[in-house]
Amino acid sequence: MGQINDLKDQALASLRGKWGSFVGLTFIYLLLYSIATFFVMYGAIFEGSSFTGLASAFSFIGSILMVLFIPIGYGYIVAYLHASRQDLPADIGDLFYGYSNGQFRRVLGAYILMVLVVMAAAIPYIVFLVIMTMHGQLEEHNGFFMFFSLLLMIPVYVVALAYAMFPFILRDNPELSAREILTKSRMMMQGHKGELLILLLSFIGWGVLAMFTFCIGYLWLAPYICMTYTKYYEQLREGYEGVDEEEMPMQEEVEMPAEITK
């Protein structure tokens, strides 16, 4: 618990006097994603109505925007890394860092690969959900469904935690391929997944309080969480730098079909 408090204190120290810039960064980030979400939700709401054609067009536009905006999510994390290291306010321009210097394809490809790996971990849950739906047993066995849903989602959470350092490594190691970035994140997180989970769960109380502000409080909570997350990466990286990656066991590599990694 002492380590968690130390990381939070470091995060608050980095945010001190700079809250306005980080709140503004978060607002712009959420606004951009809200635009894409609006198109997707509009399409879903009016699908099957007399506005089916327009709904399909909105869904298509929303899906395209979601893909095109992936580097913005990456840039949002990068902004905290830059600000933390330079002890400066948030730079709004960092939101678009993933589009600069021809990085768009690299960032997009890397994130798609990460999503595929996480989705692979969710296959047992998806199969279970399909079977329960086909037999119409979701409502009849609600407790049974909830129990096994939570159980089958555990591998997804484990994989997600294993790749939690992914965006930072992507920023700090431009020479690495997407597969190598995934592998490095997994190596860095060995023995630390539970640690990170406890760190993230420690913000639940603040999350509940933010709900009572009509969610406006999340504009302040998100920077607090992301800066603490960044400090955790920096601490983890310092301990990892002394490890010779060439001596790591070969089985730690992420096994993916060759056609995906091309």
Side-chain angles (χ1 to χ4, degrees), residues 102-244:
Q103 293 189 84
F104 177 74
R105 288 181 60 184
R106 176 175 179 265
V107 172
L108 187 62
Y111 268 80
I112 288 175
L113 179 59
M114 182 186 68
V115 170
L116 288 175
V117 174
V118 174
M119 286 179 63
I123 289 176
Y125 170 73
I126 295 172
V127 171
F128 172 71
L129 183 63
V130 170
I131 292 174
M132 293 291 288
T133 303
M134 289 176 63
H135 289 80
Q137 297 181 355
L138 291 184
E139 295 182 1
E140 295 178 15
H141 303 281
N142 193 45
F144 172 84
F145 173 73
M146 289 298 295
F147 174 76
F148 276 94
S149 292
L150 292 173
L151 189 65
L152 293 173
M153 282 298 290
I154 290 176
V156 180
Y157 299 136
V158 172
V159 170
L161 287 169
Y163 299 139
M165 300 300 114
F166 178 82
F168 300 111
I169 297 172
L170 182 62
R171 163 62 184 86
D172 282 343
N173 300 270
E175 75 285 356
L176 296 183
S177 67
R179 180 175 178 175
E180 291 169 333
I181 291 169
L182 285 174
T183 300
K184 186 168 183 176
S185 178
R186 213 165 81 162
M187 289 178 178
M188 288 180 70
M189 288 302 295
Q190 283 184 355
H192 298 283
K193 290 185 280 292
E195 202 174 66
L196 178 58
L197 178 61
I198 293 172
L199 174 62
L200 295 175
L201 290 176
S202 70
F203 289 99
I204 287 180
W206 287 111
V208 173
L209 288 175
M211 291 176 62
F212 290 99
T213 64
F214 300 99
C215 295
I216 295 175
Y218 286 109
L219 291 174
W220 281 263
L221 180 57
Y224 186 20
I225 295 174
C226 289
M227 186 59 80
T228 305
Y229 176 35
T230 300
K231 295 297 182 181
Y232 183 75
Y233 164 73
E234 293 285 58
Q235 176 180 285
L236 204 61
R237 185 175 65 94
E238 287 178 10
Y240 179 80
E241 282 181 342
V243 179
D244 186 353

